[in-house]
Amino acid sequence: MNEQEIFLERLTVRPTLACNFKCKLCNEFAPYYHPPKVSKLEEVTRDIDRVFSLVDRVSRMEISGGEPLLYTGLAGLLEHLYKYNDRFEFFSMVTNGSLIFSDEALAALVDIGPKVRIIVDDYGHKLSINAQRCAEQLKEKGILYELRDQFENVHADGWLDFRDMELKHDETEAKAIFARCVCPQKLHWVVTLHDGKLYPCHFARRCTELDIVPMAAPDCIDLYDPTVTDKELKEHICSLYTVDMLASCRYCSGFLEDRERFMPAEQIGETP
């Protein structure tokens, strides 16, 4: 990494953890928040400004949830991201195919331009009732999209189960898991911006929220901690790409290619 440039491979903005699905194995633990955190638009835009005051470039900018189409400030959020259009290379958003895009959100996606790619997950006709309509909306506007099969020809062979947060590994074992984990090794982290903090992965976020591990770098980078200088924050961000484990890795089974997969979107209380 160029020492003069602060770079994030991926940055996912999560304005809401609310979702109209209640997936038992939700990667973001959305059904287990009571109530789910929904940030005000001015809070999210302030946090984005804060990140870009520290980071020079982002390869892949994302909006996710929860379900982002539930977020009433989505169009305004997209319009705000357009201010940084020259600072990120690609933009993506994932929706569960149950809702349709507003005209305002579609217009904002068109403004961002050809770097946009929307993923519409199709979990079958009982859940993703508007997946085909979403695809039609995007096609009509010339927005690149993927209608991703999560029902028959399941993407990535299914989901993983991250619900067990008991202590599992000593430091040596955690480092071995980290060395095989897809999140840091192949995805180069999916850094999440949520509620004024950066998290390198979803599991670290949940562990710090539940006080399983301390809310401290590298598991959590508080963008507004008054005791940490901007220079130190930049060092924390850069260190994500050099660490050999997180504190939360001791509690995680890892995003491993050989772990058991499960059918996506099984709803809580539903008989598989």
Side-chain angles (χ1 to χ4, degrees):
M1 181 184 298
N2 187 325
E3 292 183 357
Q4 282 71 49
E5 180 178 75
I6 309 298
F7 172 77
L8 283 176
E9 187 70 36
R10 297 168 69 129
L11 176 63
T12 299
V13 180
R14 296 194 189 281
T16 180
L17 284 167
C19 187
N20 54 338
F21 289 3
K22 296 192 179 301
C23 301
K24 182 186 296 185
L25 301 184
C26 176
N27 204 42
E28 299 302 329
F29 308 98
Y32 303 104
Y33 289 89
H34 305 288
K37 170 68 177 178
V38 181
S39 300
K40 295 178 181 178
L41 177 59
E42 55 267 32
E43 295 172 338
V44 184
T45 56
R46 177 200 63 186
D47 292 347
I48 290 169
D49 292 342
R50 180 67 173 135
V51 170
F52 279 106
S53 74
L54 300 166
V55 172
D56 298 294
R57 283 192 313 114
V58 174
S59 178
R60 179 171 172 174
M61 173 68 68
E62 302 173 322
I63 294 179
S64 191
E67 169 49 50
L69 295 189
L70 282 175
Y71 187 59
T72 58
L74 179 60
L77 174 54
L78 290 166
E79 290 166 1
H80 190 78
L81 280 175
Y82 181 69
K83 291 173 51 178
Y84 298 101
N85 207 17
D86 61 341
R87 305 271 293 276
F88 56 87
E89 297 172 25
F90 305 100
F91 173 82
S92 68
M93 186 166 70
V94 181
T95 178
N96 64 25
S98 65
L99 305 170
I100 61 173
F101 289 87
S102 69
D103 291 341
E104 294 79 9
L106 287 169
L109 288 169
V110 169
D111 286 342
I112 294 174
K115 61 179 65 178
V116 172
R117 178 173 176 265
I118 306 300
I119 297 173
V120 181
D121 278 329
D122 185 353
Y123 296 102
H125 66 276
K126 290 183 179 180
L127 291 173
S128 299
I129 59 174
N130 282 303
Q132 290 294 335
R133 178 60 188 136
C134 280
E136 291 167 3
Q137 286 183 296
L138 296 165
K139 185 176 181 179
E140 288 167 4
K141 296 295 183 180
I143 299 168
L144 185 64
Y145 70 92
E146 176 187 356
L147 185 58
R148 191 163 65 178
D149 187 350
Q150 296 278 21
F151 187 63
E152 293 181 348
N153 185 23
V154 176
H155 172 74
D157 297 323
W159 286 5
L160 297 175
D161 187 348
F162 288 100
R163 292 173 298 170
D164 180 4
M165 294 186 172
E166 295 298 318
L167 181 64
K168 299 175 181 64
H169 315 294
D170 61 25
E171 185 172 315
T172 300
E173 293 166 339
K175 288 180 178 180
I177 291 285
F178 183 96
R180 297 173 54 219
C181 183
V182 168
C183 194
Q185 306 304 334
K186 290 194 174 181
L187 300 179
H188 307 293
W189 295 123
V190 182
V191 176
T192 295
L193 174 61
H194 179 68
D195 201 21
K197 300 174 182 67
L198 292 175
Y199 303 91
C201 69
H202 69 286
F203 194 83
R205 189 195 78 234
R206 193 60 174 149
C207 281
T208 56
E209 289 173 342
L210 295 175
D211 294 325
I212 294 171
V213 301
M215 194 167 281
D219 295 71
C220 172
I221 301 173
D222 187 340
L223 299 174
Y224 301 101
D225 185 340
T227 68
V228 180
T229 65
D230 283 5
K231 182 176 182 295
E232 290 170 327
L233 284 173
K234 291 179 180 181
E235 290 171 351
H236 289 327
I237 292 169
C238 290
S239 74
L240 292 176
Y241 299 101
T242 59
V243 296
D244 57 6
M245 63 170 283
L246 307 175
S248 48
C249 292
R250 296 187 64 193
Y251 300 82
C252 184
S253 298
F255 185 170
L256 306 181
E257 294 180 338
D258 59 355
R259 276 189 65 194
E260 182 181 6
R261 259 57 175 181
F262 300 89
M263 190 67 185
E266 180 189 337
Q267 301 298 286
I268 293 173
E270 178 182 79
T271 302

